[in-house]
Amino acid sequence: AFLASDHPNLPLYGDDPRSPERRKPFSATPVQIGGAQSGYLYVILGGEQYDSVSSMLADSYIAKTGASVLGWAFVAAGLAGLLFFFLLTKRLRSVTATVSRFAEGDYQQRVEPGSDDEIGQLGRTFNQMADRLVESMAKMKMNDALRRELVANVSHDLRTPLASIQGYLETIFMKENEIDEERRQQFLDIIYQNT
């Protein structure tokens, strides 16, 4: 059955010649001697040595204890790795939280560098950048206030002569027939000086 099928459902179990009550995985191949098939090679996988080693390991206190210790060592190493990873990324999470609060508009936020490693350097660089940004924003606010004051002053300085010009022109237009030439010339001189 094993040789007749191209793809048998493995593993196939067959008789163990040394232990007829047990069945074990096997492999088989035809054997040719002198060009003619003279038999088969039948090999049991996991013979007596395998059975004795596996039963010894199954019954061995040292093997069980060693496997248990090894398992607990893997668990402890995994937990230590997670703790170490948490401690390593704690400062990075702190920097990220500070930068996020700064981005949301709390411009007084600063990173506490703590050490001279890369995360400490990143914190100091962020603090310098934040200080420059806050300083630039203060300068922009001051420049904006100065610009507004300049516009207010200029508009006030323009409003006074324009009001004077408008008043004299209205007087000339309203009393055109009543104003003599000398008075008209005086009004025009005032308008000219204001412009």
Side-chain angles (χ1 to χ4, degrees):
F2 179 78
L3 294 174
S5 173
D6 286 339
H7 302 292
N9 291 331
L10 298 177
L12 286 178
Y13 291 91
D15 295 334
D16 182 358
R18 295 194 176 205
S19 177
E21 67 276 356
R22 298 181 66 191
R23 295 178 59 81
K24 293 186 177 179
F26 73 94
S27 183
T29 186
V31 175
Q32 294 182 355
I33 297 176
Q37 182 174 345
S38 53
Y40 298 93
L41 178 62
Y42 180 82
V43 178
I44 296 294
L45 305 175
E48 284 182 352
Q49 281 186 328
Y50 173 81
D51 288 343
S52 67
V53 169
S54 65
S55 68
M56 182 182 75
L57 288 176
D59 296 338
S60 170
Y61 174 76
I62 295 173
K64 287 180 182 178
T65 305
S68 176
V69 167
L70 187 63
W72 283 110
F74 279 132
V75 169
L79 291 174
L82 287 174
L83 178 65
F84 187 64
F85 181 76
F86 176 78
L87 292 175
L88 280 177
T89 59
K90 180 181 178 184
R91 290 178 51 225
L92 194 56
R93 287 191 308 272
S94 173
V95 169
T96 302
T98 301
V99 170
S100 294
R101 287 191 302 270
F102 187 87
E104 291 169 359
D106 186 0
Y107 299 121
Q108 301 308 314
Q109 288 293 316
R110 296 296 180 271
V111 174
E112 293 181 25
S115 67
D116 288 333
D117 62 358
E118 289 82 4
I119 295 175
Q121 291 173 357
L122 176 67
R124 280 189 291 283
T125 303
F126 171 78
N127 290 344
Q128 290 170 355
M129 180 198 69
D131 291 341
R132 286 187 187 134
L133 276 173
V134 169
E135 185 180 320
S136 295
M137 288 170 53
K139 284 180 182 178
M140 286 173 57
K141 286 180 182 177
M142 188 177 74
N143 287 343
D144 189 50
L146 289 173
R147 182 187 57 79
R148 288 173 191 250
E149 185 179 339
L150 176 67
V151 168
N153 290 339
V154 167
S155 67
H156 178 268
D157 288 347
L158 288 175
R159 198 175 293 132
T160 302
L162 285 175
S164 176
I165 291 170
Q166 183 180 7
Y168 282 107
L169 284 173
E170 285 175 357
T171 304
I172 292 173
F173 288 136
M174 288 171 59
K175 298 183 179 186
E176 187 176 340
N177 297 333
E178 301 171 16
I179 299 176
D180 61 356
E181 191 58 39
E182 183 181 328
R183 188 97 167 143
R184 181 190 301 267
Q185 190 59 42
Q186 182 184 6
F187 286 171
L188 289 173
D189 287 340
I190 293 171
I191 292 171
Y192 180 73
Q193 287 172 3
N194 279 319
T195 57

